[in-house]
């Protein structure tokens, strides 16, 4: 089982194409690409932590989750309505989580932390929300699709990749 991370998919949200300058002609093309990319990166027995802002319409989330590989954990984002949280298909729904992956303490939340638990002990903050527009900070990574090839990413890939401004 592999553990992956993603955020800010905003499935079905035409506004995100313009606001985040996504390279898609329309919502149908964006959603199809993100479902295909997700399923190419995630095996059925993998675990995906979605760090919020899943979809424009909460009532569409259960059907969407059924099409996506993996066991899905949700950390609520600012654009996740009650229907998204209640959708069938989430293994868990919470606001914040701390997990250990490959010996690294990960502090997970939709929002980036400028300071947080374990920071002085080399904890890593994974977040979304910023769509790649945050100033870089040591041991903090934006896992949003806009900066991660529109697909979930592993911790190993985050740590191995050259640092970019979007890594925040």
């Amino acid at each position: 089982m592999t553990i992956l991370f993603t955020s800010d998919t905003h499935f079905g949200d035409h506004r995100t194409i313009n606001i985040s300058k996504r390279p898609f002609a329309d919502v149908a093309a964006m959603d199809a690409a993100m479902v295909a990319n997700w399923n190419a990166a995630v095996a059925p027995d993998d675990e995906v932590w979605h760090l919020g802002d899943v979809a424009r319409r909460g009532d569409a989330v259960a059907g969407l989750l059924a099409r996506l590989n993996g066991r899905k954990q949700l950390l609520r984002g600012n654009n996740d309505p009650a229907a998204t949280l209640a959708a069938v298909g989430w293994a868990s729904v919470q606001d914040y989580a701390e997990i250990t992956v490959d010996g690294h303490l990960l502090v997970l939340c939709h929002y980036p932390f400028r300071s947080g638990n374990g920071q002085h002990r080399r904890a890593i903050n994974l977040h979304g929300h910023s769509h790649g527009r945050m100033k870089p900070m040591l041991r903090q990574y934006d896992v949003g699709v806009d900066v991660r090839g529109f697909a979930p990413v592993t911790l190993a890939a985050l740590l191995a990749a050259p640092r970019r401004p979007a890594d925040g």
Side-chain angles (χ1 to χ4, degrees):
M1 176 194 75
T2 301
I3 299 173
L4 300 99
F5 306 91
T6 195
S7 184
D8 299 286
T9 47
H10 292 278
F11 284 102
D13 194 342
H14 67 280
R15 301 169 304 173
T16 307
I17 294 173
N18 295 326
I19 293 168
S20 297
K21 298 178 177 49
R22 290 185 174 181
F24 304 105
D26 55 35
V27 169
M30 177 179 74
D31 289 359
M34 287 194 300
V35 168
N37 291 352
W38 178 301
N39 289 335
V42 178
D45 62 339
D46 289 345
E47 181 171 303
V48 179
W49 287 83
H50 194 301
L51 306 189
D53 288 0
V54 178
R56 176 154 172 93
R57 293 182 36 235
D59 62 349
V61 172
L64 175 65
L65 293 175
R67 296 172 49 209
L68 298 172
N69 288 343
R71 182 173 184 258
K72 296 160 280 288
Q73 316 279 353
L74 174 63
L75 297 180
R76 177 177 30 187
N78 58 301
N79 290 302
D80 291 323
T84 294
L85 309 179
V88 172
W90 295 118
S92 73
V93 175
Q94 49 200 310
D95 292 317
Y96 171 94
E98 292 182 10
I99 64 172
T100 300
V101 175
D102 299 332
H104 297 279
L105 173 62
L106 304 181
V107 177
L108 309 176
C109 188
H110 179 65
Y111 305 101
F113 293 135
R114 287 309 193 199
S115 68
N117 186 36
Q119 182 178 21
H120 63 286
R121 292 185 307 273
R122 304 184 56 80
I124 298 170
N125 172 222
L126 302 185
H127 68 88
H129 187 66
S130 65
H131 294 263
R133 293 188 288 264
M134 293 279 302
K135 182 178 177 183
M137 187 173 166
L138 186 63
R139 293 187 301 278
Q140 185 177 66
Y141 295 86
D142 182 345
V143 298
V145 296
D146 296 294
V147 293
R148 302 292 166 202
F150 300 97
V153 62
T154 64
L155 178 62
L158 288 170
L159 297 177
R163 296 290 288 184
R164 320 178 289 201
D167 289 337

